[in-house]
Amino acid sequence: MKTLLWLHITIFCSIFTYAQTNTPAQLYPGLFDAVQMQQIYPDGKTFVDASPRLQPAVILKAYQRSKDSIGFSLKDFTHQYFTTPAQSSTVYHSNIQAGIHKHIDTLWTVLQHVADTVKGTSLIPLNYDYIVPGGRFREIYYWDSYFTMLGLEESKRFTLIESMVKNFAYLIDTYGHIPNGNRTYYISRSQPPFFALMVQLLAKHKGAKTLITYRPQLIKEYNYWMNGAAKLKAGSAFEHSVRMSDGSLLNRYWDASTQPREESYREDVLAAKETKQKLANFYRNIRAAAESGWDFSSRWMTDGKTLPTIQTTSLVAVDLNSLLYNLERVIARSYELSGDKEQTNAYFAKAAKRKAALIKYCWDNKTGCFRDYNWQHKATSSQISIATVFPLYFNMATSTQAHKVAMLISQKFLQPGGVATTLNNTGQQWDQPNGWAPLQYVTVMGLRNYKQDSLAKLIAQRWMNLNIREFNKSGKLSEKYDIQHADAKAGGGEYPLQDGFGWTNGVLLKLMNIYKE
């Protein structure tokens, strides 16, 4: 009897694991491609988030049995066997008269989720509550969540911050890294490593020993980004690690998969028809840009204009290496709290070497900014972006460098509604004329670190004014904003403008409390 019971438990667990690790493309071969390429749903993310009405294997057999029948309708079949997901924030209508603070405070409840437990969906269940961005983004996102937490902190929702940190720790323990979001189709990549900053934020309220509590996960995440680095020869790369020509180590964005992104499958397949790259390289470069969070931007394009020239994996990224510098220092401080001098010194040394390498390879004194570095061509990228502020945010720059960055921002990046992401208008959403909350915040705080207070305040005020003005018109806060043109809506990218919106709410509330006047 015990043996039979154990067998049942084992089978159940294997089915559960299968459902939580296999992606929609793997579960529905043939059907998946047909649904996405025939655009049964206008948004490719709809199908990969849908809930099957029957077991995936049963649905697949039904498709294979009926797909060649006379009068077969793929649209009718899909609607028969799948339930499409509801957007997370569309049902919420704000009372504009109650004001922006009330709107944000209420939205925390609207955007708060407990993980879905429906088997067979792409969602990875989490044990604790979390905040989703809103709109089509119905799951937790990695780097979004830090900027959301800034607002949760201002709202005194410390329990929710801790819950989200625990969820991310679970994801690291389970997958070795934090996926882009808690979906099976996101497991092959991460996002900018903000986990250390989340732990630091939580430590402000739970005490410094929080760094020790989460040290195992901090180290696991660090090992994910540095995998294979020890064996690299100069001038070569493996996964996220790049050994520079002088032997120093820096990092790039990367993805384990060389297939089209499942949530944007049709877009990737069509875009691949225009590239001269090998398909595997093109798809990995697309995916690596998605890992950066800047999907997509002229920052990653060889010609600064067109997606087919994307070269993400060839670039040592300024923001990524600044974040990893912070991760190394947080691990060092956790060991310092434990009294382990050897490990403390080892991780502080790693951080110091990274800082020196970043400045050596990415600082461009002529233009006064930090640029991504093409490790294959041994030259800085021809594109400049607001990622130049990340070394300022982590106090890696000299005062002279910071002054030059501030001059560049005031002369080229400053716009009526905040700071631009790049200097190019390509139609991609991480280019002009769009502005994004996380980059406004990093810019403002980075400038404040170097006493560039008047410029920081001007940027913050312009961004806040834009957010509040648009809220007073629509009762909504959006994912991104057109910061150049009055009354224009942000655009570009692969999907319509989303409202909600987690990181916009968080950054706006944080900046309003910093600049209360």
Side-chain angles (χ1 to χ4, degrees), residues 338-406:
S338 299
D340 188 332
K341 292 184 179 180
E342 182 178 353
Q343 290 296 335
T344 299
N345 293 337
Y347 277 92
F348 274 134
K350 291 176 189 289
K353 288 178 181 178
R354 183 180 299 277
K355 176 181 173 180
L358 181 74
I359 291 173
K360 175 179 178 179
Y361 288 102
C362 297
W363 174 249
D364 179 6
N365 198 54
K366 185 177 180 181
T367 55
C369 71
F370 291 92
R371 296 175 182 256
D372 300 323
Y373 184 86
N374 191 312
W375 62 273
Q376 292 178 316
H377 294 162
K378 294 183 171 59
T380 52
S381 169
S382 60
Q383 310 305 319
I384 63 175
S385 74
I386 201 64
T388 187
V389 299
F390 273 80
L392 279 64
Y393 187 77
F394 293 107
N395 288 291
M396 301 170 72
T398 66
S399 57
T400 300
Q401 289 168 343
H403 177 73
K404 289 189 174 184
V405 168

Side-chain angles (χ1 to χ4, degrees), residues 111-375:
L111 297 174
Q112 187 168 336
H113 273 221
V114 177
D116 188 1
T117 57
V118 176
K119 303 300 185 292
T121 73
S122 61
L123 193 68
I124 300 169
L126 299 173
N127 296 320
Y128 302 94
D129 288 5
Y130 56 88
I131 298 290
V132 302
R136 75 197 284 268
F137 301 111
R138 297 168 282 262
E139 50 283 308
I140 199 169
Y141 281 81
Y142 183 4
W143 80 309
D144 292 60
S145 294
Y146 175 68
F147 299 97
T148 298
M149 287 178 189
L150 294 175
L152 293 174
E153 180 186 30
E154 296 302 308
S155 298
K156 313 299 183 195
R157 297 185 183 233
F158 305 123
T159 300
L160 188 51
I161 292 173
E162 185 171 13
S163 293
M164 292 168 72
V165 171
K166 286 180 177 178
N167 282 331
F168 286 131
Y170 162 77
L171 289 170
I172 292 172
D173 286 336
T174 305
Y175 300 105
H177 66 283
I178 298 173
N180 187 147
N182 61 317
R183 294 278 180 183
T184 56
Y185 54 80
Y186 283 148
I187 292 174
S188 64
R189 64 176 178 269
S190 186
Q191 271 196 324
F194 275 85
F195 183 66
L197 283 149
M198 298 177 190
V199 173
Q200 287 175 288
L201 190 155
L202 185 60
K204 287 166 56 180
H205 305 282
K206 295 210 56 152
K209 288 188 177 180
T210 304
L211 303 188
I212 300 174
T213 301
Y214 290 99
R215 183 167 63 210
Q217 290 81 23
L218 291 164
I219 291 173
K220 285 178 185 176
E221 181 178 51
Y222 183 68
N223 291 338
Y224 167 76
W225 289 97
M226 301 305 296
N227 186 41
K231 296 181 180 180
L232 278 177
K233 295 180 179 179
S236 64
F238 180 78
E239 295 184 357
H240 293 97
S241 302
V242 180
R243 179 76 69 178
M244 308 302 287
S245 56
D246 66 353
S248 58
L249 280 169
L250 289 171
N251 290 78
R252 62 177 179 172
Y253 292 111
W254 189 81
D255 189 300
S257 175
T258 56
Q259 298 299 311
R261 292 168 300 150
E262 294 188 21
E263 72 281 10
S264 299
Y265 185 83
R266 185 173 185 270
E267 290 84 351
D268 286 359
V269 170
L270 295 179
K273 296 180 184 297
E274 305 298 324
T275 189
K276 295 180 181 179
Q277 300 177 37
K278 292 180 179 178
L279 287 185
N281 293 343
F282 177 74
Y283 288 138
R284 179 163 278 153
N285 278 320
I286 286 282
R287 284 171 163 271
E291 181 176 70
S292 79
W294 294 42
D295 44 339
F296 294 103
S297 169
S298 58
R299 176 185 179 189
W300 309 122
M301 301 169 190
T302 303
D303 64 0
K305 300 175 183 177
T306 56
L307 194 61
T309 68
I310 193 166
Q311 57 169 355
T312 322
T313 58
S314 298
L315 298 174
V316 164
V318 171
D319 47 0
L320 173 58
N321 284 282
S322 300
L323 286 157
L324 290 173
Y325 168 81
N326 182 63
L327 175 55
E328 287 163 338
R329 289 182 60 82
V330 170
I331 294 172
R333 285 196 289 271
S334 77
Y335 278 117
E336 192 172 39
L337 290 167
S338 299
D340 188 332
K341 292 184 179 180
E342 182 178 353
Q343 290 296 335
T344 299
N345 293 337
Y347 277 92
F348 274 134
K350 291 176 189 289
K353 288 178 181 178
R354 183 180 299 277
K355 176 181 173 180
L358 181 74
I359 291 173
K360 175 179 178 179
Y361 288 102
C362 297
W363 174 249
D364 179 6
N365 198 54
K366 185 177 180 181
T367 55
C369 71
F370 291 92
R371 296 175 182 256
D372 300 323
Y373 184 86
N374 191 312
W375 62 273

Side-chain angles (χ1 to χ4, degrees), residues 460-475:
Q461 287 177 329
R462 290 187 178 188
W463 178 254
M464 290 186 291
N465 289 341
L466 173 59
N467 284 200
I468 295 169
R469 185 173 70 246
E470 292 301 314
F471 168 77
N472 288 335
K473 291 179 183 178
S474 67

